[in-house]
Amino acid sequence: MKKTALAISLGLACLTSLNTYATTYLSAKAMVDVNSGKLIKSPLISIDNGQITAVQSNKQPSLKDGDKHIQLLELTLVPGLMDMHVHLTSDPTVPRSERIGQSIPRKAIKAAHFAEKTLYAGFTTLRNLGAEGYSVIAVRDGINAGDIVGPRIWAAGPSLGVTGGHCDNNRLPPEMKYTAEGVADGPWAVRAKVRENIKYGANAIKLCATGGVFSKGTKVGIQQYSQDEMNAIVDEAHLRGLTVAAHAHGTSGIKAAIVAGVDSVEHVSFVDDEAIKLAKKHGTWFSMDIYNTEYTLAFGEQNGVAEENLNKERQVSKKQRDSFNRAVKAGVNMVFGTDAAIYPHGDNAKQFSRMVEFGMTPLQALQSATINSAKLLKADDQLGQIKSGFLADIIAVKGNPLENIAVLEDVQFVMKDGKVFK
């Protein structure tokens, strides 16, 4: 019996060893090299333990026991897409007055649902810029542990904001004495809030430099945090190795955030020549959500968006698209950020065609969601390309996105970390 048990044990060990070293081969009609902008015909990708080990063309795999060959002979391979500005806890079809009554556990469940939906749309990496109760950090950790399905996530905790500003909650009466958990005023208070976010697992920091479209009682163009406060936030976050995103619509807030050293500015609606020069000088990334205005103006009223907010959207929309065009022409660093939650999660790729319409080439738009976003996250040695040594985050579409960027709106195949999800 002992000999039999030993034989079974050794057999299982050998089987485990074989499975560990089994290779997945992925072949397709073509592959986009987002770095060179070239279309590679008949690629063969070798994948071991979630990592790309070889990229060849016009080759057939030599399969050993346990190997797998996935053939997508009518499709084009593209690196997994990356969205640098989402809010997974929010649902645009639920009025904001109802969201106030949702518990943190309920929001976390919403976030898990929308994370899976976004992964199936071809986005294998997200940056979630602000959520109550560290809910998306819990979702991120659940995805990493294999408990639930979703993209890899860089998650900010509660967004930092001034009292009564865009990242506070101004919808409740004063007798309730409610202040949003990310509110902090003064240089030392904001440093403490950054430290608190890091304590509870944030791997990105978000600050609100100006008013916003969807808050009550704020003006989108008005600066909120002072220069000293923004300097303190960025210094504290960078001291701890985290990147910082600044919500900023207004010109003075955009400039102050860039001078403070933020890694990215979100929205960037009212930009001027000086702001563009500063962004280029500092290497700041712009993340401009130029699609969601269409959804808000078409469906906002029926979704319960207040007239104050709809009016602010009307003020911002054309200005932001003009600013986008100016920034692209000037050669500012650009990443793909949609503010998903203002429109339905899973529709993220609809922004690509608008980026092309308002000034980008298809390759520039695709690079914004691949190699550029990877650089912003300081993960460009692992993410953003189909390349040996990189993580196997790969999607497939019908057609050539370098000719028709809209094909990214219909993703046929999704692989993350070498595992097929769609």
Side-chain angles (χ1 to χ4, degrees):
M1 286 294 291
K2 288 183 179 178
K3 287 183 179 179
T4 304
L6 179 60
I8 292 171
S9 177
L10 288 171
L12 288 172
C14 290
L15 181 61
T16 301
S17 177
L18 280 172
N19 286 340
T20 301
Y21 293 102
T23 298
T24 297
Y25 294 95
L26 179 60
S27 56
K29 180 180 181 180
M31 180 195 92
V32 177
D33 182 333
V34 293
N35 197 40
S36 68
K38 294 179 179 177
L39 192 71
I40 310 298
K41 297 291 182 67
S42 303
L44 178 67
I45 318 299
S46 306
I47 300 162
D48 288 301
N49 294 323
Q51 188 176 55
I52 299 169
T53 54
V55 179
Q56 304 173 82
S57 61
N58 296 305
K59 298 279 187 180
Q60 285 297 315
S62 179
L63 301 176
K64 63 181 184 296
D65 288 347
D67 287 353
K68 181 166 58 175
H69 185 197
I70 301 170
Q71 301 182 68
L72 306 173
L73 302 183
E74 300 300 318
L75 302 179
T76 300
L77 304 181
V78 178
L81 302 173
M82 308 167 78
D83 191 335
M84 294 295 97
H85 192 138
V86 304
H87 297 280
L88 290 172
T89 55
S90 295
D91 182 344
T93 65
V94 177
R96 288 172 184 265
S97 56
E98 289 184 28
R99 293 185 215 171
I100 291 173
Q102 289 182 346
S103 67
I104 298 302
R106 180 70 183 96
K107 289 180 179 181
I109 290 169
K110 278 271 191 185
H113 169 68
F114 290 137
E116 182 178 38
K117 189 172 183 179
T118 308
L119 176 65
Y120 290 155
F123 287 81
T124 54
T125 300
L126 301 178
R127 189 173 60 154
N128 195 88
L129 291 183
E132 304 88 340
Y134 303 94
S135 48
V136 174
I137 290 171
V139 171
R140 177 201 67 197
D141 293 348
I143 292 168
N144 292 345
D147 300 330
I148 53 178
V149 170
R152 67 176 47 76
I153 298 174
W154 269 256
S159 299
L160 275 66
V162 302
T163 298
H166 177 64
C167 289
D168 197 358
N169 187 335
N170 304 329
R171 299 178 186 276
L172 298 171
E175 57 267 26
M176 295 192 72
K177 302 185 186 305
Y178 181 84
T179 299
E181 58 192 321
V183 169
D185 301 303
W188 281 108
V190 297
R191 281 184 182 273
K193 188 59 67 173
V194 171
R195 293 170 183 175
E196 183 179 293
N197 274 10
I198 295 170
K199 175 181 178 178
Y200 294 116
N203 57 348
I205 296 295
K206 157 89 171 290
L207 69 92
C208 291
T210 74
V213 171
F214 284 90
S215 50
K216 181 181 179 182
T218 71
K219 296 179 180 179
V220 289
I222 299 300
Q223 184 174 332
Q224 295 183 160
Y225 269 129
S226 69
Q227 189 69 65
D228 286 346
E229 289 170 314
M230 289 193 224
N231 292 348
I233 292 169
V234 174
D235 182 61
E236 190 66 39
H238 284 177
L239 200 64
R240 305 289 293 276
L242 276 67
T243 56
V244 182
H247 159 106
H249 286 283
T251 311
S252 65
I254 293 167
K255 294 175 186 176
I258 294 170
V259 170
V262 300
D263 299 278
S264 69
V265 183
E266 313 299 308
H267 312 302
V268 205
S269 298
F270 304 106
V271 78
D272 64 8
D273 290 340
E274 184 185 6
I276 286 174
K277 288 178 183 177
L278 281 171
K280 294 187 72 176
K281 176 184 175 182
H282 288 263
T284 312
W285 296 92
F286 280 3
S287 170
M288 303 178 72
D289 49 325
I290 60 169
Y291 164 68
N292 61 35
T293 185
E294 297 174 33
Y295 181 87
T296 298
L297 296 180
F299 300 102
E301 185 175 358
Q302 74 182 52
N303 288 343
V305 177
E307 181 57 33
E308 174 194 355
N309 307 115
L310 292 173
N311 188 47
K312 285 194 279 188
E313 183 64 67
R314 295 182 192 106
Q315 294 171 28
V316 165
S317 57
K318 185 179 186 305
K319 289 284 188 182
Q320 188 190 35
R321 288 174 165 186
D322 289 343
S323 293
F324 177 84
N325 181 261
R326 290 176 65 188
V328 170
K329 286 181 177 177
V332 174
N333 291 336
M334 304 286 281
V335 294
F336 187 91
T338 64
D339 211 1
I342 302 302
Y343 67 89
H345 295 280
D347 284 352
N348 310 57
K350 289 184 177 181
Q351 180 165 289
F352 283 114
S353 62
R354 277 59 173 189
M355 295 172 89
V356 172
E357 180 181 352
F358 293 101
M360 282 188 168
T361 65
L363 176 61
Q364 286 176 315
L366 184 53
Q367 287 176 331
S368 76
T370 52
I371 56 176
N372 290 5
S373 290
K375 287 176 183 175
L376 168 59
L377 295 175
K378 304 187 189 308
D380 51 316
D381 60 342
Q382 292 184 301
L383 300 174
Q385 298 185 60
I386 302 174
K387 184 177 178 180
S388 181
F390 279 54
L391 296 177
D393 286 9
I394 302 169
I395 65 170
V397 294
K398 294 178 180 177
N400 180 2
L402 299 176
E403 294 177 350
N404 177 14
I405 196 72
V407 300
L408 295 174
E409 295 175 21
D410 186 16
V411 171
Q412 305 291 308
F413 171 89
V414 177
M415 171 184 280
K416 178 192 145 201
D417 282 333
K419 182 180 178 182
V420 177
F421 288 89
K422 181 179 180 179

